Amino acid sequence: MILGDLTDEKDYHSSHLVNRLVSALAALAREGIGIHILMGNHDYAEGSKPFFSFISELPRCFFYSQQRMVEIGNVRWAFFPHSREPVWADRKYMQEIGIDYVGCHQVFSGAVSESGRELAGVGARALEGVGKVWAGDIHVPQQVGVVEYVGSPYPIHFGDSFEPRVVMLDGGRHWSLYPETIRKLVLRIRDPDEIEEMPEWRAGDQVKVVVSLRRADFSRWDVYRQAIRTICKRNELDLCGIELQERRRERLKLANDTDVPRAPADQFEAYVEAQRVDPSDAEVGRTML
């Protein structure tokens, strides 16, 4: 089961990626595996025309763009795909027919994003007491009231630090599984050789390399880029981008300088005192300030 968001960039993906994705799903289906997919907010621009609805044409594949009650192996599910104005099925009705699990794709108030920001969303009160509620949409695995976010099985953005997860269900029991997957890392370096000294990456990871150079060394940029490509290829790193940043000299602190913000006039007087500025020059400076 995939609780929404088959891809990240909606309809901006290449046909190569879409074909590769559908081929992988079809291969699972040929092994006799049933595949149930909820429509996520990244799976459509118009709710009536989701990008991947055609997947339902594949054997054993089901794509849900509308609310649906489904029995899978004697287990009853209520599926709620993403909606900008979600309307949940009647709680009493779901209790009467014996819903075991709810699968949905929605942001619920109190969920926390991968950046640590608390998100505003819809309330989950209508789902209380129905069945175990599993949700997609939020990448970080977490519990929010009666809702448990499965989380993403791999990092989505460069710099993501959450632990990817999938969940295995068996009857009324479940287990969290943490697959060994790619990482999406940002490597910050001053010299290409530093890449091989970094302990955080492993072969197969996707990386973006940020190179910090003094302006005087900008003429060597092409040499640095070629060296980075060679090193990444040698170490089986999937290089997704190289970025140049200028390395600036840090401002020299005065002996009595502190990290406490000071008024401009106070900073000026500290400078006058530290540099022993001529009194007449200092007075001109005060007038200008």
Side-chain angles (χ1 to χ4, degrees), residues 7-248:
T7 57
D8 182 42
E9 298 182 8
K10 296 200 172 187
D11 54 344
Y12 287 92
H13 291 289
S14 67
S15 58
H16 175 79
L17 178 74
V18 173
N19 289 337
R20 180 179 173 191
L21 169 66
V22 175
S23 295
L25 294 174
L28 287 173
R30 284 196 296 271
E31 296 296 324
I33 298 170
I35 301 171
H36 301 264
I37 304 171
L38 278 181
M39 181 180 72
N41 57 306
H42 287 254
D43 295 328
Y44 71 97
E46 295 181 37
S48 60
K49 300 175 182 177
F51 308 135
F52 294 102
S53 59
F54 67 89
I55 286 177
S56 291
E57 301 298 322
L58 298 175
R60 302 186 187 87
C61 292
F62 306 91
F63 185 91
Y64 302 111
S65 58
Q66 302 290 331
Q67 292 184 14
R68 192 73 58 84
M69 307 295 171
V70 180
E71 187 167 320
I72 304 171
N74 297 322
V75 176
R76 289 182 175 175
W77 282 81
F79 286 128
F80 298 100
H82 178 265
S83 173
R84 294 185 176 92
E85 296 180 359
V87 178
W88 312 112
D90 181 76
R91 177 168 52 181
K92 184 178 180 182
Y93 168 72
M94 289 193 288
Q95 289 173 330
E96 286 178 352
I97 65 174
I99 292 297
D100 300 297
Y101 291 113
V102 173
C104 58
H105 187 100
Q106 207 73 44
V107 175
F108 292 94
S109 294
V112 178
S113 71
E114 58 267 37
S115 65
R117 181 170 62 93
E118 186 170 317
L119 303 171
V122 300
R125 184 169 296 178
L127 298 176
E128 292 179 356
V130 174
K132 176 66 179 178
V133 182
W134 294 103
D137 202 0
I138 305 301
H139 304 157
V140 184
Q142 59 193 279
Q143 183 86 33
V144 182
V146 299
V147 177
E148 183 164 355
Y149 283 98
V150 175
S152 173
Y154 48 80
I156 305 300
H157 304 119
F158 282 93
D160 280 351
S161 58
F162 66 87
E163 190 171 17
R165 180 177 81 152
V166 297
V167 173
M168 181 171 69
L169 305 177
D170 181 10
R173 300 176 298 168
H174 66 269
W175 296 267
S176 293
L177 305 178
Y178 300 96
E180 183 172 308
T181 182
I182 62 166
R183 274 85 56 84
K184 297 172 79 79
L185 305 174
V186 178
L187 306 181
R188 301 184 183 277
I189 63 171
R190 294 188 176 187
D191 185 275
D193 290 337
E194 294 176 11
I195 294 174
E196 294 187 298
E197 300 170 2
M198 293 179 164
E200 58 263 39
W201 58 262
R202 58 176 176 246
D205 285 344
Q206 296 179 352
V207 297
K208 284 187 176 179
V209 180
V210 179
V211 187
S212 176
L213 289 181
R214 295 176 301 175
R215 183 165 289 275
D217 294 327
F218 277 14
S219 60
R220 303 195 62 201
W221 177 232
D222 284 341
V223 175
Y224 274 57
R225 283 194 300 181
Q226 186 54 50
I228 290 167
R229 293 189 185 104
T230 300
I231 290 171
C232 288
K233 184 176 181 179
R234 180 168 67 234
N235 290 279
E236 299 181 13
L237 291 173
D238 186 0
L239 181 61
C240 299
I242 308 174
E243 180 182 336
L244 171 63
Q245 286 186 350
E246 181 179 0
R247 185 164 80 242
R248 300 178 181 275

